[in-house]
Amino acid sequence: MSERTVIQLRSDNSTVVFEVNDKVLSILYWGRDLLLLGSAGDQSAALTNSVAHSSLDIPPTPGVLREYSRGFQGHPALSGHRNGKAWSTQFSLVDYSHQGNVLIAQLSDDAAQLSLELAYRLTAEGILKVDAILTNLGSAEYSVDQFVYWMPLPDRAKEVLDFTGRWSHERHPQRHPIVAGLTTREIREGRSGHDYTIAQIAMTPNSNFASGENWALSMAWSGNSVHHVERLADGVQSIGAGELLMPGEIILAPGESYQVPGVIANYSNHGLDGLSSNYHSWLRARPSHPTNVRPRPLTLNVWEAVYFAHDEATIRQITDVAAEIGVERMVLDDGWFHDRRNDFAGLGDWVVDPAVWPKGLSSIVKYINDKGIEFGLWFEGEMVNPDSDLYRAHPEWILHEADRVPPLQRHQLVLDLTHEGAYDHILGQVDAILSEYNIAYIKWDHNRTLVDAGHLGQAAIHNQTAAIYRLFAELKRRHPKLEIESCASGGARVDLGIVDLVDRFWTSDNNDALERQTIQRWTGLVIPPEMLGTHIGPTHGHQTARTHEISFRAVNAIFGHAGIEWNVTEASPEELEILKKWAALYKAKRGLLHSGRSIRVDHPDSNAFLYGVVAQDKSEALFAYVQHRMNESTFPAMALLPGLEPESLYEVKVLNEVGKPRALQIKNPPWLKGVKLSGAALANIGVRPPILAPENAILISVVKAS
Ligand code: DGJ
């Protein structure tokens, strides 16, 4: 293997080029797909640096592991030690297999007594999945401090985009130039978090939704994480991500392995929408992807309608109206189990509370099912209230350090699922409820951060994360049709790790349609709309106290896995009529919305959003023009509707099923009632939006003319 070899993984839109040279595995290139013709030696020579003043005598070849021992002086891939020794490694490639678009490399370091398996899998959709397993071959323990996966960035990547947030304000973008040093985003709260950057994206300048090159990296993990962009003084740029480990969290006994949580790399030379299309196509290609199982049912969640005030008569009344609207699934949220009259008590005791459900849940489940509606139920199985039978019996079953009880959050503690007894208790109680009742789906919440989260004196966030993955997999094994929604105080556990175990994400606790615009836009960059819960909230928003027209809330909520989170018994007859029409429209359009290409238009007026979904065969599309604030000029900027066949004719009109928006004009532009235009005209000339009042929106239907 001393010979120089080039290995290329290729998809339609991207490629990764590796080099094997003298037992060192390196990544030469990651980006736009290309054809390599020259010899491996010439290819490598083209990339080799000169020997600079005040530098090592031979240009370093740090390899994918970026080791000090090979002359690298930036952030390494592996950090760890064996009681202070073996702190610096020098892995050699001992073997590899390359089949199709998969490269699996075996590396070992005889001095450090470690072996490493690295797997690179490039999918047809252009997603590169990278996984590593580190094994301790020595006879003493090896402490892993960190393993970060790194991918190279070219010089032309000049900016970085990532996401930040807090409760009810998830995934807001921040973009800035790449500067010297490390640009780092860390999560230390034990769940992916509201502030999690679901992807960190390096970009060429002026890159936007439609154009530019983007290199994105994401963790496939729901625990602690770190994302880096690094620019060294010599000009080398890289992007990296890994699990963030607490001190002593992973100590490998002789023969033990650390399965490093993997990363997802994604490249686009068609802007952010190109990245988005790769993520969506890749997720949709999974046989278990929710739309491959069945259409996404219109959902009604009773949380904001009743909060903890459960009583069967009220839920029946809501069910009656839900059935009239055409709701297909209802969710009983929180408040149903032992002593859960508020958020001070009950977590941990997953038995139906006879005080509010004297006949158990059978009667309400039957009532709902008899109306043709499925039943869903809320759990928060990773948590325990000090005021619960579970905690009274097992105060030792919480994640904690020393003999301290961690600070409370929402009056609750974290149950230690790495403790076999606690795990079995939760699995047993949840399984019993799922076995007793006809439950189609569970909403699984996680309402606090992990603080001081240890198990028998050792940090336990990694193992706790693995435990919840195991629990979800086991629940699904026992109940094959069960769907799970991942919720964590809204959208604090939306990531590419848990995505393989859940069917829906609760995008945010914020149901205000204006706030949701930004949250949904950026969450939807990675997660396809059919997996994002988007509900019509109450007229007067509970989170922001804003008042919105039903049409605005309806336009916002249709671009996802649609639902309602509002006491619909309080809706006026006019609002009820709109809800019925909107529900029918959602059912008619969900095939398109949940399979098409998501497009966010780079609209010239920052006071409005313009976005939509175009069918993969370009036969139809649905766009939203959303006026956030007053437009800049009297007449709003033309709405360009791209992505259709330039030479085909389309019928374009505004859909009134969502009700009428509030407008600030005397007369509507005439096209709203329907016109026929070519795909080229729609993309380049567009249509003139009406002058809408702020916080109003229209839904534009585009269908190929027959
Ligand atoms: C937080 C969730 O995000 C809400 O949707 C709701 O389920 C509450 N928890 C219930 O306590």
Side-chain angles (χ1 to χ4, degrees):
M1 220 187 311
S2 61
E3 209 174 287
R4 209 180 269 274
T5 312
V6 166
I7 299 164
Q8 192 177 9
L9 309 184
R10 292 179 84 174
S11 75
D12 285 350
N13 42 29
S14 64
T15 189
V16 192
V17 180
F18 298 86
E19 182 198 60
V20 175
N21 182 25
D22 199 17
K23 299 190 176 177
V24 181
L25 176 72
S26 309
I27 301 179
L28 300 185
Y29 173 85
W30 170 41
R32 175 186 316 207
D33 185 37
L34 47 79
L35 182 65
L36 295 172
L37 291 174
S39 69
D42 283 359
Q43 197 56 64
S44 170
L47 278 158
T48 305
N49 298 325
S50 38
V51 177
H53 290 298
S54 187
S55 68
L56 296 176
D57 292 342
I58 298 172
T61 46
V64 286
L65 293 175
R66 302 155 56 104
E67 293 164 304
Y68 305 125
S69 62
R70 297 189 187 280
F72 188 70
Q73 287 164 8
H75 199 295
L78 174 65
S79 309
H81 62 96
R82 198 184 293 284
N83 202 13
K85 304 279 189 290
W87 59 274
S88 170
T89 58
Q90 189 169 98
F91 281 90
S92 300
L93 188 67
V94 284
D95 197 7
Y96 69 86
S97 75
H98 170 214
Q99 279 181 333
N101 275 333
V102 178
L103 171 67
I104 299 185
Q106 310 290 343
L107 301 100
S108 80
D109 178 341
D110 294 342
Q113 298 184 297
L114 294 168
S115 75
L116 181 70
E117 179 179 295
L118 277 173
Y120 295 86
R121 297 181 175 86
L122 183 64
T123 70
E125 301 81 20
I127 295 291
L128 178 73
K129 297 169 72 183
V130 196
D131 294 285
I133 304 173
L134 178 73
T135 303
N136 178 10
L137 303 177
S139 51
E141 289 177 335
Y142 178 82
S143 303
V144 184
D145 293 340
Q146 192 169 52
F147 187 96
V148 178
Y149 298 88
W150 289 95
M151 295 295 291
L153 291 177
D155 303 326
R156 61 186 180 278
K158 292 280 187 195
E159 295 177 9
V160 59
L161 169 71
D162 60 31
F163 303 97
T164 175
R166 60 178 172 83
W167 175 75
S168 271
H169 196 74
E170 297 90 339
R171 287 167 289 282
H172 277 58
Q174 52 178 11
R175 183 170 174 171
H176 50 84
I178 294 178
V179 292
L182 276 183
T183 300
T184 297
R185 298 297 314 282
E186 286 187 346
I187 290 290
R188 294 172 176 270
E189 66 176 69
R191 56 180 184 182
S192 29
H194 294 112
D195 190 35
Y196 178 61
T197 188
I198 188 166
Q200 192 179 36
I201 307 170
M203 318 168 91
T204 47
N206 303 320
S207 181
N208 55 20
F209 285 116
S211 61
E213 284 186 277
N214 302 165
W215 296 260
L217 209 58
S218 306
M219 284 306 295
W221 186 237
S222 313
N224 286 337
S225 63
V226 59
H227 287 78
H228 297 299
V229 168
E230 184 187 65
R231 180 173 171 83
L232 297 175
D234 62 9
V236 170
Q237 299 194 139
S238 332
I239 187 165
E243 180 182 21
L244 187 150
L245 293 171
M246 294 289 166
E249 184 159 10
I250 300 284
I251 299 177
L252 299 178
E256 221 179 350
S257 296
Y258 168 44
Q259 165 86 55
V260 190
V263 288
I264 305 296
N266 186 1
Y267 165 80
S268 156
N269 62 348
H270 296 290
L272 290 166
D273 280 353
L275 274 187
S276 189
S277 171
N278 297 344
Y279 286 125
H280 292 185
S281 320
W282 161 63
L283 290 169
R284 285 171 175 167
R286 301 169 305 157
S288 63
H289 189 68
T291 42
N292 292 333
V293 180
R294 49 175 294 196
R296 302 290 75 216
L298 184 71
T299 300
L300 185 145
N301 183 307
V302 299
W303 174 240
E304 292 200 18
V306 301
Y307 292 103
F308 291 102
H310 283 207
D311 80 281
E312 186 158 346
T314 307
I315 303 294
R316 280 182 181 230
Q317 283 162 10
I318 295 175
T319 307
D320 292 346
V321 183
E324 230 187 293
I325 293 168
V327 165
E328 297 165 306
R329 177 179 282 176
M330 280 190 51
V331 191
L332 196 60
D333 199 299
D334 211 333
W336 59 269
F337 48 97
H338 179 56
D339 266 357
R340 187 69 169 174
R341 299 292 67 77
N342 50 46
D343 58 14
F344 283 84
L347 294 174
D349 301 339
W350 301 102
V351 288
V352 180
D353 194 333
V356 277
W357 296 101
K359 296 177 266 181
L361 294 177
S362 304
S363 146
I364 191 66
V365 174
K366 182 170 182 325
Y367 191 82
I368 290 174
N369 286 170
D370 284 351
K371 301 257 175 200
I373 301 176
E374 295 176 356
F375 179 76
L377 196 61
W378 182 95
F379 288 92
E380 193 180 2
E382 292 147 278
M383 300 293 157
V384 60
N385 285 116
D387 186 358
S388 65
D389 288 351
L390 179 65
Y391 188 76
R392 281 183 282 274
H394 290 287
E396 76 284 9
W397 283 1
I398 55 162
L399 287 175
H400 68 289
E401 174 54 13
D403 50 9
R404 297 187 289 266
V405 173
L408 293 173
Q409 186 176 334
R410 209 193 189 204
H411 327 295
Q412 63 198 52
L413 295 162
V414 185
L415 195 63
D416 180 358
L417 289 186
T418 74
H419 194 297
E420 212 181 317
Y423 180 92
D424 289 347
H425 167 83
I426 292 303
L427 176 62
Q429 285 201 329
V430 177
D431 182 47
I433 296 278
L434 294 178
S435 304
E436 183 171 356
Y437 301 107
N438 185 23
I439 295 176
Y441 129 101
I442 58 178
K443 175 178 176 185
W444 189 282
D445 217 332
H446 184 291
N447 280 305
R448 67 155 296 165
T449 53
L450 273 58
V451 176
D452 229 12
H455 170 87
L456 300 179
Q458 191 176 13
I461 293 160
H462 175 91
N463 289 343
Q464 178 82 355
T465 310
I468 189 62
Y469 286 2
R470 200 153 33 93
L471 191 104
F472 280 1
E474 180 59 19
L475 287 174
K476 287 199 158 189
R477 193 188 66 73
R478 294 187 187 184
H479 305 275
K481 288 195 174 154
L482 179 73
E483 291 191 10
I484 301 178
E485 174 171 26
S486 170
C487 172
S489 306
R493 191 152 64 183
V494 183
D495 60 69
L496 291 176
I498 212 159
V499 74
D500 281 332
L501 291 156
V502 302
D503 306 275
R504 187 186 212 247
F505 292 102
W506 184 225
T507 317
S508 175
D509 268 353
N510 201 334
N511 280 316
D512 175 312
L514 180 65
E515 300 294 330
R516 273 293 188 119
Q517 287 288 302
T518 307
I519 298 168
Q520 289 173 198
R521 162 165 287 202
W522 294 106
T523 310
L525 186 83
V526 175
I527 306 292
E530 60 272 23
M531 293 194 76
L532 296 178
T534 53
H535 294 178
I536 294 186
T539 312
H540 308 287
H542 290 193
Q543 293 77 29
T544 61
R546 281 198 189 101
T547 302
H548 284 136
E549 299 291 335
I550 190 168
S551 60
F552 183 47
R553 285 137 64 210
V555 171
N556 176 71
I558 207 167
F559 284 92
H561 179 180
I564 301 170
E565 189 137 351
W566 173 23
N567 189 346
V568 283
T569 62
E570 290 168 4
S572 68
E574 297 74 35
E575 287 172 329
L576 214 50
E577 276 317 297
I578 292 170
L579 285 174
K580 284 187 213 167
K581 287 188 186 143
W582 170 80
L585 181 69
Y586 168 69
K587 290 175 196 172
K589 295 286 183 189
R590 65 184 156 194
L592 160 69
L593 289 166
H594 296 169
S595 66
R597 183 182 167 95
S598 293
I599 292 189
R600 299 109 189 139
V601 178
D602 295 294
H603 192 60
D605 184 353
S606 61
N607 297 304
F609 270 8
L610 176 59
Y611 55 91
V613 176
V614 178
Q616 301 290 350
D617 67 2
K618 302 184 178 178
S619 58
E620 58 172 329
L622 197 63
F623 284 93
Y625 174 82
V626 186
Q627 195 69 55
H628 293 181
R629 293 171 296 272
M630 292 285 274
N631 39 278
E632 275 163 11
S633 43
T634 307
F635 304 118
M638 292 292 282
L640 305 185
L641 308 179
L644 297 147
E645 275 171 6
E647 286 165 19
S648 293
L649 188 66
Y650 291 90
E651 289 175 11
V652 186
K653 64 174 182 190
V654 161
L655 296 178
N656 292 321
E657 286 89 332
V658 290
K660 289 229 158 58
R662 204 172 275 266
L664 304 174
Q665 60 186 12
I666 295 165
K667 199 173 165 193
N668 262 328
W671 70 268
L672 265 59
K673 288 197 177 133
V675 285
K676 288 185 182 165
L677 298 166
S678 73
L682 287 169
N684 295 292
I685 305 173
V687 290
R688 179 73 72 192
I691 307 168
L692 295 177
E695 299 169 26
N696 276 272
I698 52 169
L699 205 52
I700 306 169
S701 151
V702 181
V703 178
K704 206 186 239 186
S706 42

